[in-house]
Amino acid sequence: MVCWPTGRLLSTAARLVEHAWVEALDPLGLTHAGMVALHLLGSGPLSQTELAHAARVQTQTMSRTLERLEREGYVVRTRDKHDARRHSVVRTDAGAAVWQKSRTLEADLFPELENADALRDALLTIISASSARRW
Amino acid sequence: MVCWPTGRLLSTAARLVEHAWVEALDPLGLTHAGMVALHLLGSGPLSQTELAHAARVQTQTMSRTLERLEREGYVVRTRDKHDARRHSVVRTDAGAAVWQKSRTLEADLFPELENADALRDALLTIISASSARRW
DNA sequence: GTCAACTAATCAGCTAGCTGATCAATAGGA
DNA sequence: TCCTATTGATCAGCTAGCTGATTAGTTGAC
């Protein structure tokens, strides 16, 4: 596996880490995608398009994620007064609470790394390089 | 985004890179998952369980990937003589050819990085740490 | 030899990505 | 004003992961 291409290592590592997340979040009735949305809503209401953009995801994907969050009571969607096309998405108190709980998991889940800074650097470079066209 | 947790950066980077792969592989009638399988079959026939294990994936997932590869003619599955439960999966000539074509894409797709070695190191550490229990 | 336990593969059903198409509401130009 | 283009959200349908359950074939103990 040492000779696998870097892109494949990246996918594999991400999948395994996300698997750990799923297990940890399940008892909270939350998914990783939902957690991202709750995080982004921390600084105030957003439209679905804004949320999708911030999460680097398609609006269709965000739509479903929010549908689930709303079903769980972690989020409320209301029509915008000034633009009836837009949904104003607000994090509920329950949503804020569950997000706080989930925050503490991060440190426990992610393995300790010597070169964590180099990793973050590289990931940010990759993200900005490959998202240049879409976002 | 600079203050996102590392796990989220990892997922996002992987998703964006994989998106580039999908676009590049589509004309070949190949997916990223299929490419992994074709790669692993390069050194000879394997059973589906062995393939799944090597790709760090569930056997159910590999089953579907191979179904698609077989449909495209890149792979042939035959019942094992000695153990009729097993499928012996063989890469066809077409499969070998398409894999060769796809190999050259990797260099073009993946962004140049200064600290590529540190990245690979970190990813391998993450993979071995979080796959310890499953593989 | 028979029955139980295990193993390889698949089926059913879920979430998360994606594309392409659709619908309703808004904005803007003739 | 009206008609078109744009925009926000959703629907339909695809692949790739996953879990849990099922089926068929092997193995092993009695």
Side-chain angles (χ1 to χ4, degrees):
Chain A
M1 200 165 90
V2 179
C3 59
W4 277 13
T6 310
R8 196 179 307 168
L9 292 180
L10 185 59
S11 309
T12 306
R15 191 159 42 76
L16 294 174
V17 166
E18 213 154 344
H19 188 263
W21 269 107
V22 169
E23 284 189 337
L25 290 175
D26 187 54
L28 299 177
L30 202 54
T31 68
H32 189 246
M35 205 188 136
V36 175
L38 289 181
H39 180 187
L40 294 170
L41 288 171
S43 43
L46 291 171
S47 78
Q48 297 193 183
T49 301
E50 288 164 343
L51 267 172
H53 187 267
R56 301 286 195 281
V57 149
Q58 297 300 119
T59 58
Q60 301 91 314
T61 301
M62 185 52 71
S63 183
R64 273 187 317 188
T65 299
L66 293 171
E67 185 188 329
R68 232 180 327 281
L69 283 174
E70 191 169 40
R71 203 191 307 145
E72 297 280 344
Y74 293 149
V75 130
V76 170
R77 287 186 288 182
T78 53
R79 286 282 169 189
D80 188 295
K81 292 177 200 170
H82 306 298
D83 187 341
R85 290 170 306 179
R86 298 164 69 91
H87 277 166
S88 179
V89 185
V90 181
R91 196 171 73 173
T92 63
D93 291 345
V98 80
W99 180 70
Q100 270 300 337
K101 276 190 208 160
S102 71
R103 280 189 70 181
T104 64
L105 296 175
E106 167 88 38
D108 304 337
L109 282 177
F110 209 78
E112 288 286 335
L113 293 175
E114 289 187 15
N115 42 10
D117 287 342
L119 173 63
R120 292 182 60 89
D121 256 23
L123 294 175
L124 285 166
T125 305
I126 292 170
I127 291 173
S128 67
S130 39
S131 73
R133 295 200 166 186
R134 308 177 70 196
W135 283 278
Chain B
M1 201 164 87
V2 179
C3 58
W4 277 13
T6 309
R8 195 179 308 168
L9 292 180
L10 185 58
S11 309
T12 305
R15 190 159 44 76
L16 294 175
V17 167
E18 213 154 343
H19 188 261
W21 268 108
V22 169
E23 284 189 339
L25 291 174
D26 186 53
L28 300 177
L30 201 56
T31 67
H32 188 246
M35 204 188 137
V36 174
L38 289 181
H39 179 188
L40 295 169
L41 288 171
S43 43
L46 292 170
S47 77
Q48 298 193 181
T49 302
E50 288 163 342
L51 267 173
H53 187 267
R56 301 284 195 282
V57 149
Q58 296 299 120
T59 58
Q60 300 92 313
T61 301
M62 186 52 72
S63 182
R64 272 187 317 187
T65 298
L66 294 171
E67 184 189 329
R68 231 179 328 282
L69 283 174
E70 192 170 40
R71 201 191 309 146
E72 298 280 343
Y74 294 149
V75 131
V76 170
R77 288 184 289 181
T78 52
R79 286 282 169 190
D80 188 296
K81 292 176 199 170
H82 307 297
D83 186 341
R85 289 170 306 178
R86 297 164 68 92
H87 278 165
S88 179
V89 185
V90 181
R91 197 171 71 171
T92 64
D93 291 344
V98 80
W99 180 69
Q100 271 299 337
K101 275 190 209 161
S102 70
R103 279 189 72 182
T104 64
L105 296 175
E106 166 91 319
D108 303 336
L109 282 177
F110 208 78
E112 288 286 335
L113 293 174
E114 289 188 16
N115 41 12
D117 286 343
L119 173 63
R120 291 183 62 89
D121 256 24
L123 293 175
L124 285 166
T125 305
I126 292 170
I127 291 173
S128 67
S130 38
S131 73
R133 296 201 164 187
R134 308 176 72 196
W135 282 279

